[in-house]
Amino acid sequence: MEWILQNTDIFDEDIDSKFNKVILENKNRIEREHIYKFRVSFHVNLLNDNRFEKFNIIDSKRKNDGSKKDKMYAVLSFQLEKLSKHLTQHDIEVYSLTIQGDYLEAENQIKIELIEDKTEATYTKGKKNVRAVCSSIIPSLPSTRENISYLASKRLSEIYSDLMNIISDKKLMSEILEIEETDNNNVLFQQFAKLYGDLWLTTKDRAEELRKQFKDRSLYVIEKRLEKEKNK
């Protein structure tokens, strides 16, 4: 579910009341037996707005003093907490909370999303049956995506280079990657990223699965080649 709050922004001190109104208007659409992810998006252009420094945080534990960055995080954290309180009040179960800067249609909008959470539950260390709550503050989602894309490409390039140093045969690598024979390193890398892109950052089990998949495919191709040479 997604709602766009109009004529408001991340500095609106009454933003939680506006969200509460949305919940009341849509209470029949929200299935209480589900667990949700809660995501709040504001326009990324507001990150340089001087209202971050002027914003009044009524919270002795989270004052917006210190550096400009500290003030920004304090305001975003405060607003996310204000909004999320209404989830609890309406018995909406949420363990993943995010506030992020993104490119919305206008700067005076707030986008709010409730997405069914189907991820595996994690629990607070030392406390049985107490599910951990994860709160994320992402000032600029576009910049974060760009950084992640760069890191992914860099790491995959390193993995691919290591494998090519072992295999040392682009024709063989073409067959392993199940594409037409090519000497074009870029084509090979793009196909490798397509098939094994999860290797750069994934769970231990998934990484092991992909490594085994590549190993098995490589052995199959090599054995097939050896058999072909043998039968000549």
Side-chain angles (χ1 to χ4, degrees):
M1 288 169 282
E2 177 183 306
W3 301 281
I4 303 294
L5 305 186
Q6 302 288 357
N7 302 315
T8 185
D9 56 43
I10 200 59
F11 306 107
D12 189 343
E13 295 183 10
D14 197 36
I15 193 173
D16 56 326
S17 298
K18 293 176 180 178
F19 176 50
N20 188 50
K21 183 180 178 182
V22 168
I23 294 177
L24 291 172
E25 290 172 349
N26 294 272
K27 59 183 180 181
N28 293 330
R29 292 180 58 202
I30 302 171
E31 299 182 53
R32 297 302 192 278
E33 67 272 16
H34 288 174
I35 295 174
Y36 292 96
K37 294 180 181 180
F38 180 59
R39 187 182 299 152
V40 180
S41 300
F42 62 94
H43 204 294
V44 72
N45 286 356
L46 297 177
L47 285 177
N48 293 319
D49 198 300
N50 60 12
R51 283 178 289 176
F52 275 113
E53 299 188 42
K54 299 176 182 178
F55 192 90
N56 183 32
I57 295 180
I58 310 169
D59 185 345
S60 59
K61 296 179 181 178
R62 193 191 290 109
K63 294 181 179 179
N64 58 328
D65 50 13
S67 69
K68 186 176 180 180
K69 183 178 179 181
D70 291 337
K71 294 173 183 177
M72 176 188 66
Y73 272 89
V75 172
L76 296 178
S77 176
F78 179 71
Q79 293 291 65
L80 179 61
E81 187 174 309
K82 278 180 68 176
L83 288 163
S84 65
K85 283 180 179 178
H86 289 289
L87 299 171
T88 305
Q89 289 173 6
H90 291 282
D91 298 318
I92 302 170
E93 200 169 359
V94 173
Y95 296 98
S96 175
L97 308 158
T98 302
I99 188 165
Q100 61 190 27
D102 202 357
Y103 288 112
L104 305 182
E105 289 186 5
E107 292 183 4
N108 62 339
Q109 288 182 344
I110 292 290
K111 181 168 75 172
I112 292 180
E113 298 168 273
L114 269 182
I115 306 157
E116 187 178 354
D117 189 351
K118 297 181 180 180
T119 57
E120 186 177 346
T122 56
Y123 294 90
T124 303
K125 189 175 181 180
K127 296 181 180 180
K128 291 183 178 180
N129 301 321
V130 178
R131 187 165 175 175
V133 178
C134 177
S135 294
S136 302
I137 298 174
I138 306 173
S140 175
L141 185 61
S143 295
T144 301
R145 284 174 176 156
E146 188 176 322
N147 290 337
I148 289 174
S149 179
Y150 168 75
L151 290 172
S153 180
K154 182 180 179 182
R155 178 58 185 142
L156 283 175
S157 181
E158 290 171 352
I159 295 171
Y160 172 76
S161 295
D162 289 343
L163 291 171
M164 279 305 301
N165 286 335
I166 296 170
I167 294 173
S168 302
D169 186 334
K170 291 180 180 178
K171 293 180 180 179
L172 178 60
M173 181 61 90
S174 299
E175 193 170 350
I176 291 171
L177 297 177
E178 302 177 67
I179 58 174
E180 289 186 16
E181 191 175 289
T182 180
D183 287 326
N184 189 317
N185 213 38
N186 186 53
V187 172
L188 289 169
F189 174 69
Q190 293 301 324
Q191 178 66 3
F192 175 77
K194 179 181 177 181
L195 296 177
Y196 301 97
D198 285 351
L199 273 174
W200 88 277
L201 183 64
T202 188
T203 63
K204 183 179 179 181
D205 289 345
R206 176 60 176 156
E208 186 60 36
E209 178 189 340
L210 288 172
R211 282 193 289 266
K212 184 178 184 304
Q213 181 180 319
F214 184 85
K215 179 182 176 182
D216 290 347
R217 174 65 185 173
S218 300
L219 290 174
Y220 168 76
V221 171
I222 292 170
E223 287 173 4
K224 190 170 74 169
R225 277 200 172 192
L226 290 173
E227 187 67 26
K228 188 176 180 180
E229 289 293 325
K230 182 180 177 181
N231 294 329
K232 276 186 177 180

